[in-house]
Amino acid sequence: MASDISTSLAEGRPGTSAAKSAQREAQTAEFAAAVLKGLARRPRSIPSRFLYDAVGSALFEEITELKEYYPTRTETALLKDRGAEIAQAIGGVDVLVEFGSGSSRKTSLLIEALDGLDSYIPIDVSESFLAEAAKRLAAQHAGLTVKPLVGDFTRMTTLAGAPRGQKLGFFSGSTIGNLTHEEATGFLVNAAQLLGRDSTFLLGVDLKKNLDILIPAYDDDDGVTASFSLNLLARINRELDGDFDTTQFAHRAVYNEAKGRVEIYLESLTEQTVHVRGRSFTFARDERIHTENSHKYSVPEFQALALSAGWQPVEAWTDEDQLFSLHLLRLA
Ligand SMILES: C[S@@+](CC[C@H](N)C(=O)[O-])C[C@H]1O[C@@H](n2cnc3c(N)ncnc32)[C@H](O)[C@@H]1O
């Protein structure tokens, strides 16, 4: 059974620094195991959550500001313009639980729209970025208890230290698109258990669209998305004694029509041998490492997925250009 590796970032607990260093060791061991396994398999692949260390999270923030990256500004506009309507459809909430919270910037809009919220629990794998975002959020919303949790949201079995009360889940940025349909179903089933009876769930989900709009969002003119991808190799060099030459790999974003998803790869520009933790990996020219998927859903497709995981679709909001959707789900 998968272990629950979530850890509270709450300060002042006895043994916190020893616990933190043990947790860091466990995180590095998990990263090493995933990278060594992922580079040995064919086709090569590394799970996308490892794209997010402190550098990766900062680069993702830069991506959200790009002219090509429509998801953040469209989702932000939906939360701004339809916030009151969304809050009314949600009803009373005591605890907001955000999966893959990142900078939590959009969350402020939701918190403002919700009346009487007591607590906010942001969950993310990117520890230092999460701590900073949680501090900023707490300073912005006086009276709101903020309890960040570091961990992998696909493997959490409990919400450590979460207060009782009516819960709303929030999963923004179409991060659910990084999961395969099977993984997304498993995630939604697990989220239902974490959030509990009568909870609601608001998810930002990217819509299917023309490739002229879609592909540049994952491969921009300034090369920020390329830097974000290549940071995975730089992270392997930093944390796992790797010797990747990041100038000898290129970022590729391609649409897989059959699977309805953008696939991101790092492609070897030459034949080369790379070492990680003392193991050698030889790449042919053009050989790829699959690093990320971003699944796209029509509104009915996502509602069918939610239903299959036990969630009842309540309402879906889209922008007028049909770029992005916000889905409200409720547990029966
Ligand atoms: C696409 S970004 C979205 C960030 C933010 N929600 C937004 O909309 O701007 C994905 C976020 O989820 C986090 N993340 C990715 N996989 C994760 C996992 N398995 N468990 C916890 N956090 C994860 C990343 O660190 C990152 O902050």
Side-chain angles (χ1 to χ4, degrees), residues 228-276:
F228 171 72
S229 277
L230 287 161
N231 174 58
L232 179 61
L233 304 184
R235 180 179 181 190
I236 294 171
N237 290 349
R238 283 192 295 272
E239 295 184 28
L240 306 178
D241 303 321
D243 62 0
F244 276 99
D245 179 349
T246 56
T247 66
Q248 293 305 311
F249 284 83
H251 166 77
R252 303 278 183 237
V254 291
Y255 190 66
N256 182 330
E257 184 81 47
K259 294 193 168 164
R261 69 188 192 193
V262 177
E263 296 175 347
I264 307 292
Y265 297 93
L266 288 166
E267 186 175 295
S268 179
L269 295 175
T270 181
E271 188 181 318
Q272 55 186 319
T273 298
V274 171
H275 305 93
V276 179

Side-chain angles (χ1 to χ4, degrees), residues 3 15 34-35 66 184 211 231 245 271 292 303-304:
S3 61
V35 168
L66 293 170
L211 296 191
N231 174 58
D245 179 349
E271 188 181 318
E292 195 177 17
Q303 289 181 330

Side-chain angles (χ1 to χ4, degrees), residues 46-178:
I46 298 175
S48 62
R49 67 179 182 279
F50 296 111
L51 290 162
Y52 295 92
D53 62 349
V55 179
S57 292
L59 283 166
F60 180 75
E61 275 309 289
E62 271 187 55
I63 290 174
T64 64
E65 312 264 313
L66 293 170
K67 64 179 185 317
E68 292 94 338
Y69 201 74
Y70 63 85
T72 304
R73 63 173 172 274
T74 314
E75 190 178 29
T76 303
L78 277 174
L79 285 167
K80 265 189 193 150
D81 300 346
R82 316 295 285 273
E85 201 184 312
I86 292 169
Q88 198 181 9
I90 291 168
V93 180
D94 305 304
V95 185
L96 174 63
V97 180
E98 182 167 9
F99 300 91
S101 48
S103 68
S104 295
R105 283 190 208 285
K106 279 172 283 190
T107 320
S108 272
L109 296 168
L110 184 59
I111 291 171
E112 276 157 25
L114 295 169
D115 203 22
L117 189 69
D118 291 328
S119 307
Y120 170 51
I121 304 180
I123 301 170
D124 209 289
V125 277
S126 191
E127 183 170 354
S128 55
F129 204 76
L130 172 66
E132 279 306 310
K135 230 187 267 173
R136 200 172 46 238
L137 236 278
Q140 278 168 0
H141 302 275
L144 184 72
T145 303
V146 180
K147 289 191 166 195
L149 274 184
V150 190
D152 179 347
F153 53 57
T154 62
R155 293 191 297 156
M156 263 180 197
T157 52
T158 53
L159 292 174
R164 297 168 78 89
Q166 187 72 36
K167 294 194 176 58
L168 166 68
F170 185 39
F171 201 14
S172 65
S174 205
T175 306
I176 195 156
N178 296 148

